[in-house]
């Protein structure tokens, strides 16, 4: 479901940390077998975790791993063929060839729905494995519980020492047909508790179990109809999971649930109607689907959720109840995925902001999430990019949250001295590399975040806060080295660190997942200032061209797995590059923006299993695609301005809040007319390649007249 | 506090499992140092756990253990002298000589109160260690959390893999003076998180921490007045612990809290007034104090508690709210400690019964606790002795609980086939040793439990249930071997297991912590039947004498550490013997009961550090003392009859419910008159050495005329 709590999908592997990057979502297209179906996954993350509540249907004899096995092995895997797969938004099906079982999955907001059709006459089993995790290692499962209740409901919880340390996830599971038997295993002891005679005198017919390596097999005998399974999860308790199941998971009608999921997806995907070839539509709506996956609901039907303090909270603020969302890959999604939601679903943005503010208030530090999921913090990546998410929403008119409360936690996040060396940043105007790693990136990103904070403060009329953070937004200049022409890290003594290699990325560098060629463009809040620093528009364009046109051996970044999708130094596979193609607009060379975008769209996206150039990062890569396909992009979220590129669809109709419609057309739309000749908004020519958010949400029509060659004079600096 | 949630006391060691038996309460008199003060302890258990939230005041420099230390070492221990100790009900003080710190402890219902007086001018610290446990081993702490909140409140939780598997205990701690500094350590990494630069970008000024080996030092500088500390615990959450602290732990007045604790203890100890020497009073009231320690409150101020299903529940039943108690050493306390509460505090018994019934309803198995603490089950020992606890209360007139609901879970417990081989017991009439260990003990104890259930069912008018369980109460006969004259275990084929050694106890034997000499007397529900089986009163007495008079090398039981306090085969240090001295009463030889009781009282109790002959077992050994000192004992709880022995106090006044007073006098009371000549109840001679509960609670006077020698003819079988 869009933003759903459940991400039920097949796992071909639960990789250990050596292989986690490639298997971050549990499924790799090249793998020949499926291990099971688990209920929680990240969409395109770089680091990983989850893979909770893995189940596997088994027909016939159950083959467990031999011996003591605290980590799952190959015992119950099945081969499968991609030819048997059906992948749709809200539905997945595959045939497990070793068992002859047809597996179908769909989901409700908090429920995973399964339907398993077993071969006739073979005894049906469902295996439940609480041992495996995505990004697995010995000792990752700290503790788990499993229980079969009198009414046949299976409940459990597990506490894992994962990316979010000490994460507890509970579940409740029901079947549409009665169990004929069950065995709960504690694989640390290689003894099914059925026959276990341990210390003391516990019941041998164990219907509950505690331990670090629990596995269970539920038997159903030969079935006359498919086995349906429904599973609810909760970050709070097994009882809450049951309540979620009772409320959100009524009845037994897999097909109806599938229709509901399809309808929910159709509803959000219909926010944008495009014309185009089937291939184009597949690619566009796949991207839009990705953009609607996170943040994810992380709250039970009773409004309880687990916060970053690991305590249980109630989702209620000054404006009343709200839905609490987590899964915040903020270093990524503040750029385009969250702005896309502000445009398409401002109602959702309201609850996203309220969730961020609530998380800050629940935080032991009183600061906004950095990289959070299931309510818990991982401290992954840099910056305080929840700030531009909130600022962008506010500046673009999203309301329904307590802006003063929000501003308070934004300021708290931007001034928490012990975080990312903000103490030095505030004192020196930059993060010194002898005190803090990746200092140049931090200085640059803090300065942008500060600018976005100032935009919101100013819009709210708070001139003192606005002035403070506007001043801080200029600190990018402290990273600018006019001698080398790159953004660099300084030492605390004020001198740039030597030696300096603008191509170097990786451990110990001045940058976060990047090098000087990539990070020197990161002043989205003041591109004119950057142009000036770089010596004017011509030099700026020349350096930007040099960045895109450099000859770079991909092996150069072999130690930094995130830097992918290379076009010269430009790395579309990683977020720091995402605004770069649009920067030509600011130097009066929009035709070069158009050219670079075509270059990127042609080479970095494909509706194939390996279609993305890098991690989708919870929808950011896909949101970039959606914006770019529509013809504009939020270079600096927190501003209401979009930079215009060119459409990659012939027609798009945006169905916006308040029944407003915004239509984008491009003609002639073919491979022979890759440049924009003229742009009209409601028939009036646009003089600059920029668009205001207000123009969009008011409704209207944006028409692009496409041309074969850059307009006359454009190559010397187009000043339309 | 009586039945308090907190048991705050010094720990001289947190022993590993090799030494846990001797250090089961954390404190051993012979130890020269104190490691700290922790908040949870069992009183005289055989197995152990707890030792939660250990703190240690430190004056001057803090010496941490060197290196990575996931288990606490000697770094912060201090020497102490017993001469500096003050031990009172509700108060403990000691001087920690290495630091010159005077430590004082008292407690509220849910709060541990500390007062530490530091030497002038030395910086004061409080160390908090979440690593150690009583009965410790590597990996016992599965996970823990620690947080310093903005207002200086320290909160935390830890999950341990202990006796109760997967137990979470949370706490909240406050100080009467502000911290000047703090450091939170994760000792698994040997890095204080203050300076830790780990993955990602987490705040370095960590005010929270997750991990398996957390330790913290709170600094207070040189103090002008003593440091006071208050600590609340909760089995539910840190937030609940804070609520407990807010509600039950107001203000800062250690002396007032100490006075409250003293008053609470005086109130319960004043239930019985005795005359006697100071030494006698010390011994008597020490025993009475022990008997008022458990079960312990296991519920937060909002009525929430953690149940055996590990879920959070609300203490509310058909009769409304109640206090939920746990710490149930039921194999022990059903014998005398719980009956003593029924006599002295039937109001408490009401909530004890409601707690047991609630636990059964929360149990994954729907059965009553076996050995539970903090709401969780350990499955330690045998039988379903919550049944006689409830039956005894009901039969003796305790009300205020839903008796029908209670009877339902009593029957459920007595018929749960997969528990302790009840399946065979119900089918064969005994537990077969080839299917289940310690089978003879189980058959005997089940039969008694069944009888007690029948008593309650009959009293409630349920004749069918009463008949079923009365029949089962005769199953002791299936363990009786007339050939050898002992209770023995049969095989499932109906034959007694061979070879047979009536002196053998230990792994693989027919019995639980006992041998045939000890267990053959276990038919408290039908002593006349046992006498008949043994060939009549004379043979019965002769065999009982042989049991007490046997020459037994204590080394015989060196592998069964619980079998201690030997008088022949009689083992006063363990519960199966506790009713034995009273059995002479049933064979018309009460003078022999009197003689044996004197022998036991003279040798098995002393008001000294090693004064008890074995584990107090949560007050059972002490309750035996209290009953016996008063002159009577509940041989078969579930019946309203007490067997009379002889008083060991010259006068006792029992202040019972409804302002009733029952007075016991004995004269002449001296060492020269150890036998009972005549007993009068309200002036009327008693013809039999038995007393009814109704006689006691109605109020009255029981007078013992003591004599120098057994009455005439008594040695041939006294038939008064």
């Amino acid at each position: 479901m869009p933003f759903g709590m459940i991400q039920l999908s097949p796992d071909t592997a639960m990789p250990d940390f050596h292989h986690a990057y490639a298997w971050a979502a549990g499924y790799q297209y090249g793998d020949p077998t499926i291990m099971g179906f688990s209920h929680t996954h990240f969409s395109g993350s770089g680091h990983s975790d989850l893979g909770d509540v893995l189940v596997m249907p088994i027909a016939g004899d159950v083959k467990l791993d031999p011996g003591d096995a605290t980590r799952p092995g190959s015992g119950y895997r099945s081969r499968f063929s991609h030819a048997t797969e059906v992948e749709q938004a809200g539905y997945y099906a595959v045939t497990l060839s070793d068992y002859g079982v047809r597996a179908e999955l769909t989901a409700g907001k908090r429920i995973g729905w399964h339907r398993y059709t077993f071969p006739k006459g073979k005894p049906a089993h469902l295996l439940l494995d609480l041992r495996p995790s995505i990004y697995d290692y010995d000792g990752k499962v700290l503790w788990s519980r499993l229980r079969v209740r009198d009414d046949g409901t299976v409940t459990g919880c597990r506490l894992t020492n994962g990316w979010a340390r000490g994460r507890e996830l509970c579940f409740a599971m029901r079947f549409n047909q009665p169990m004929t038997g069950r065995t709960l295993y504690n694989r640390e002891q290689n003894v099914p508790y059925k026959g276990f005679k341990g210390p003391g005198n516990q019941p041998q017919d164990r219907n509950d179990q505690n331990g670090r390596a629990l596995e269970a097999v539920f038997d159903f005998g030969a079935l006359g109809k498919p086995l349906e399974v429904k599973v609810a999860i909760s970050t709070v308790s097994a009882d809450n999971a049951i309540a979620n199941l009772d409320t959100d998971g009524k009845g037994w009608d897999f097909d109806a649930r599938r229709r509901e999921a399809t309808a929910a997806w159709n509803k959000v995907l219909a926010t944008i109607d495009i014309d185009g070839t089937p291939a184009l539509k597949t690619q566009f709506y796949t991207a839009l689907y990705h953009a609607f996956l996170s943040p994810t609901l992380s709250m039970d039907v009773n409004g309880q959720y687990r916060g970053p303090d690991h305590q249980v909270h109630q989702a209620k603020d000054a404006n009343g109840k709200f839905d609490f969302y987590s899964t915040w890959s903020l270093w990524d999604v503040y750029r385009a995925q969250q702005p896309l939601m502000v445009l398409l679903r401002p109602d959702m943005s309201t609850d996203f902001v309220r969730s961020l503010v609530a998380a800050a208030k629940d935080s032991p530090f009183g600061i906004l999430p950095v990289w959070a999921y299931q309510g818990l913090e991982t401290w992954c990546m840099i910056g305080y990019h929840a700030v531009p998410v909130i600022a962008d929403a506010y500046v673009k008119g999203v309301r329904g949250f307590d802006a003063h409360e929000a501003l308070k936690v934004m300021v708290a996040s931007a001034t928490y001295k012990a975080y990312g060396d903000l103490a030095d940043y505030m004192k020196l105007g930059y993060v010194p590399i002898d005190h803090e790693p990746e200092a140049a990136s931090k200085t640059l990103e803090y300065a942008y975040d500060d600018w976005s904070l100032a935009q919101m403060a100013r819009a709210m009329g708070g001139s003192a806060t606005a002035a403070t953070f506007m001043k801080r937004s200029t600190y990018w200049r402290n990273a600018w080295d006019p001698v080398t022409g790159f953004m660099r890290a300084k030492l605390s003594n004020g001198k740039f660190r030597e030696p300096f290699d603008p191509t170097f990325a990786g451990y110990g560098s001045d940058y976060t997942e990047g090098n000087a060629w990539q990070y020197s463009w990161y002043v989205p809040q003041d591109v004119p200032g950057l142009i000036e620093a770089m010596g004017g528009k011509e030099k700026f364009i020349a350096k930007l061209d040099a960045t895109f046109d450099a000859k770079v051996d991909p092996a150069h970044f072999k130690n930094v797995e995130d830097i992918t999708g290379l076009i010269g130094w430009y790395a579309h596979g990683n977020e720091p590059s995402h605004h770069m193609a649009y920067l030509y607009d600011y130097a009066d060379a929009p035709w070069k923006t158009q050219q670079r975008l075509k270059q990127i769209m042609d080479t970095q996206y494909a509706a194939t299993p390996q279609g993305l150039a890098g991690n989708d990062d919870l929808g950011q890569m896909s949101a970039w695609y959606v914006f770019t396909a529509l013809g504009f992009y939020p270079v600096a979220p927190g501003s209401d301005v979009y930079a215009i590129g060119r459409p990659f669809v012939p027609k798009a109709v945006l169905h916006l809040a308040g029944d407003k419609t915004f239509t984008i057309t491009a003609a002639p739309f073919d491979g022979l007319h890759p440049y924009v000749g003229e742009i009209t908004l409601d028939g009036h020519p646009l003089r600059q390649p920029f668009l205001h958010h207000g123009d969009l949400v008011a409704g209207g029509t944006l028409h692009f007249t496409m041309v074969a060659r850059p307009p006359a004079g454009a190559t010397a600096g187009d000043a339309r």
Side-chain angles (χ1 to χ4, degrees), chain A:
Chain A
M1 291 288 255
F3 312 119
M5 196 161 173
I6 292 277
Q7 306 87 36
L8 174 56
S9 59
D11 296 288
T12 57
M14 290 285 191
D16 69 15
F17 61 99
H18 295 299
H19 304 93
Y21 190 80
W23 275 263
Y27 181 94
Q28 262 291 350
Y29 196 78
D31 287 345
T33 61
I34 283 175
M35 184 175 159
F37 306 99
S38 72
H39 290 76
T40 57
H41 296 87
F42 294 125
S43 181
S45 59
H47 200 86
S48 203
D49 195 358
L50 304 177
D52 299 294
V53 199
L54 180 127
V55 300
M56 182 66 167
I58 294 175
D61 294 340
V62 177
K63 282 161 286 181
L64 292 174
D65 298 329
D68 280 358
T70 56
R71 297 266 299 282
S74 57
Y76 54 76
R77 293 181 165 281
S78 170
R79 283 166 290 182
F80 75 108
S81 154
H82 290 301
T84 69
E85 285 183 305
V86 180
E87 309 96 341
Q88 297 172 347
Y91 179 75
Y92 173 82
V94 69
T95 298
L96 300 168
S97 51
D98 284 331
Y99 300 122
V101 171
R102 182 67 178 167
E104 297 172 279
L105 312 174
T106 187
K109 243 162 76 167
R110 293 180 177 87
I111 316 285
W113 294 89
H114 310 235
R115 179 165 65 188
Y116 299 114
T117 306
F118 287 82
K120 274 211 173 62
K122 280 215 175 176
H125 311 274
L126 193 79
L127 181 144
L128 167 66
D129 203 338
L130 295 187
R131 298 169 298 159
S133 270
I134 296 173
Y135 206 115
D136 215 346
Y137 38 80
D138 283 334
K140 179 159 182 181
V141 176
L142 296 163
W143 200 248
S144 52
R145 311 185 202 286
L146 189 52
R147 179 173 168 199
V148 182
R149 305 199 180 211
D150 291 344
D151 68 354
T153 305
V154 178
T155 60
C157 296
R158 74 172 186 178
L159 180 71
T160 50
N161 186 14
W163 196 10
R165 305 181 76 218
R167 176 178 67 94
E168 185 158 62
L169 190 77
C170 301
F171 70 93
M173 177 183 296
R174 290 195 183 124
F175 310 100
N176 72 331
Q177 292 167 81
M179 282 182 220
T180 57
R182 59 181 161 72
T183 315
L184 311 188
Y185 297 88
N186 184 339
R187 297 303 300 271
E188 272 199 311
Q189 309 188 26
N190 192 25
V191 180
Y193 271 77
K194 226 180 206 172
F196 175 61
K197 310 211 179 190
N201 205 30
Q202 67 267 55
Q204 292 163 36
D205 174 30
R206 301 260 341 196
N207 52 13
D208 84 336
Q209 194 46 265
N210 278 239
R212 284 179 288 215
L214 304 187
E215 195 178 6
V217 177
F218 308 114
D219 313 317
F220 297 92
L223 294 175
K225 60 178 182 179
L227 179 67
E228 293 190 31
V229 185
K230 53 188 176 186
V231 178
I233 61 172
S234 165
T235 63
V236 173
S237 67
D239 282 351
N240 272 20
I242 288 179
N244 291 345
L245 201 54
D246 285 339
T247 307
D248 281 4
K250 288 192 169 53
W252 291 107
D253 189 341
F254 182 90
D255 292 319
R257 300 294 86 73
R258 181 186 172 186
R259 283 194 297 272
E260 281 174 7
T262 303
W265 276 110
N266 281 343
K267 192 178 163 193
V268 295
L269 297 178
T271 325
I272 306 179
D273 286 323
I274 67 159
D275 288 358
T277 62
L280 177 62
K281 285 186 173 175
T282 298
Q283 189 153 322
F284 183 89
Y285 287 108
T286 297
L288 195 56
Y289 164 82
H290 286 155
F292 272 107
L293 287 171
S294 79
T296 58
L297 186 66
S298 187
M299 184 191 84
D300 298 325
V301 288
N302 63 2
Q304 289 186 323
Y305 65 92
R306 182 84 54 183
D309 55 353
H310 293 271
Q311 298 290 305
V312 178
H313 301 277
Q314 196 74 31
K316 200 164 179 234
D317 61 18
N319 292 326
K321 293 182 184 177
F322 63 98
D323 283 345
F324 182 81
Y325 290 90
S326 191
T327 310
W328 284 112
S329 188
L330 285 160
W331 187 75
D332 307 296
V333 298
Y334 83 89
R335 301 169 198 260
Q337 188 265 344
Q338 281 296 300
L340 185 61
M341 294 303 115
V342 167
L343 174 61
L344 299 180
R345 289 298 301 268
D347 58 324
M348 296 300 306
S349 283
T350 297
D351 272 10
F352 295 163
V353 171
R354 293 166 83 182
S355 300
L356 289 169
V357 173
K361 296 177 83 174
D362 301 335
S363 154
F365 308 93
I367 65 179
L368 287 157
V370 174
W371 210 124
Y373 65 99
Q374 293 185 3
L376 308 178
E377 184 54 80
T378 70
W379 304 115
C380 186
M381 306 310 291
I382 67 168
Y384 27 96
H385 298 306
V387 166
V389 168
I390 299 172
D392 190 56
Y394 186 83
V395 164
K396 290 176 180 165
V398 173
R399 294 295 181 270
F401 60 91
D402 184 332
H404 291 281
E405 205 61 58
L407 193 69
K408 207 183 291 176
V409 295
M410 290 160 77
V411 170
S413 301
T415 56
Y416 197 89
K417 290 185 182 172
Y419 172 79
D421 202 18
L422 275 173
D424 276 329
Y425 174 78
M426 288 191 278
K427 199 169 67 185
L428 305 174
Y430 62 93
V431 177
I433 189 71
D434 46 342
H435 292 178
E436 180 77 11
E438 307 176 356
S441 291
K442 287 176 186 172
T443 298
L444 293 168
E445 296 194 14
Y446 295 170
Y448 159 72
D449 289 343
D450 292 342
W451 170 84
S452 75
L453 198 161
Q455 303 313 299
M456 177 161 158
R458 193 169 56 188
M460 289 170 62
S463 60
T465 302
T468 300
F469 285 89
M470 273 309 285
K471 175 158 186 285
R472 285 171 47 155
S473 79
T474 66
Y475 288 176
W476 66 268
R477 294 183 184 276
N478 295 329
W480 176 249
D481 172 20
V483 177
T484 60
F486 288 104
M487 297 290 182
R488 296 176 57 186
K490 277 183 176 159
L491 298 162
S492 52
N493 66 8
K495 298 192 192 308
F496 287 106
R497 179 170 71 162
E498 302 294 348
F500 172 66
D501 173 359
T503 73
F504 176 64
Y507 184 76
S509 99
D510 291 357
Y511 315 96
T512 299
E513 295 180 3
N515 67 12
W517 280 102
Q518 288 153 355
Y519 253 100
S520 293
W521 305 102
Y522 194 81
V523 192
Q525 74 275 27
D526 187 11
V527 184
L530 180 64
I531 291 171
E532 188 200 345
M534 286 190 172
K537 292 176 181 171
E538 278 185 46
K539 287 191 177 168
F540 180 85
I541 291 170
K543 191 173 185 92
L544 209 43
D545 280 343
T547 305
F548 277 98
D549 295 335
K551 287 201 161 38
V552 178
D553 178 357
H556 180 80
F557 292 119
K558 66 178 184 294
N559 291 326
V560 190
E561 55 195 357
D562 298 276
I563 306 178
T564 55
L566 294 179
I567 300 175
W569 291 117
Y570 178 86
H572 193 69
N574 209 23
E575 277 66 17
S577 295
H578 279 189
H579 66 304
M580 279 167 57
Y582 288 94
L583 295 181
Y584 291 104
D585 271 358
Y586 297 78
D588 304 330
W591 72 275
K592 278 189 173 277
T593 288
Q594 298 150 26
Q595 193 179 52
R596 294 299 177 193
L597 291 178
K598 180 160 167 40
Q599 195 177 1
I600 297 166
M601 292 292 263
D602 285 351
T603 59
Q604 305 298 317
Y605 292 90
T608 66
Q610 308 289 341
L612 293 181
N615 300 321
D616 193 47
D617 285 317
L618 290 298
Q620 165 56 24
M621 189 78 85
S622 290
W624 188 97
Y625 178 93
V626 172
F627 270 123
T628 297
L630 295 176
F632 52 91
Y633 187 82
V635 167
S639 141
D640 70 341
V641 173
Y642 298 91
I644 294 178
R646 52 149 289 198
F648 289 85
V649 294
K651 181 178 179 187
V653 181
L654 278 58
H655 301 284
L656 303 175
D659 287 328
K660 300 288 184 187
T661 300
F662 192 84
T663 304
I664 298 149
T665 51
F669 184 80
D670 57 33
L672 301 174
H673 299 82
Y675 295 100
V676 175
E678 190 188 47
I679 311 172
T680 59
L681 178 62
D682 294 334
H684 304 289
L686 277 186
R687 300 177 59 86
Q688 297 289 339
F690 299 101
L691 194 63
H692 287 270
H693 186 75
D695 299 331
L696 292 171
V697 296
T701 301
L702 188 69
H703 180 70
F704 293 80
T705 303
M706 305 303 291
V707 295
R709 273 170 297 275
T715 48
D718 179 1
R720 270 171 316 148

